[in-house]
Amino acid sequence: MIEPFFDPQQGWAGQALEHLAYRVVRENFPALDSDEVHALVVAAHRLYIERHPDRSDHLPRPTELLRANL
C-alpha cells in the first residue's frame, strides 16, 4: 500500500514521497494512533531499504528519521 512512496521512480524531482505514506496509513487505519502510524511507516521504510538496496540511496537511513508531526 505504501511501498510506492519509497520508490525513486515514483518520487517528485528525485525526492521520496514518504510523507504521503503517513496520510495513506491514517486514512486506511483510522483506529491507529499517531505513534502506531509512525512505527508502521518507519518499519515499511526500513523494509524497503532491505529489499531494494540498489534503489534506496535517496532515502534517509532509519536512524536519521525524525518523528513527523502527525
Side-chain angles (χ1 to χ4, degrees):
M1 179 186 302
I2 62 176
E3 181 176 358
F5 298 118
F6 303 112
D7 185 346
Q9 299 299 319
Q10 303 295 323
W12 184 18
Q15 298 298 311
L17 300 175
E18 67 184 82
H19 63 282
L20 297 176
Y22 287 91
R23 172 187 267 165
V24 168
V25 172
R26 281 194 311 267
E27 288 174 356
N28 285 280
F29 302 98
L32 296 179
D33 66 29
S34 62
D35 290 331
E36 292 168 324
V37 171
H38 178 73
L40 193 139
V41 172
V42 169
H45 178 112
R46 181 173 295 184
L47 186 61
Y48 184 88
I49 290 172
E50 288 177 11
R51 287 186 175 174
H52 307 285
D54 57 324
R55 295 188 313 174
S56 63
D57 290 340
H58 68 292
L59 294 171
R61 301 298 96 180
T63 56
E64 299 170 5
L65 293 176
L66 298 176
R67 174 114 171 49
N69 292 325
L70 304 175

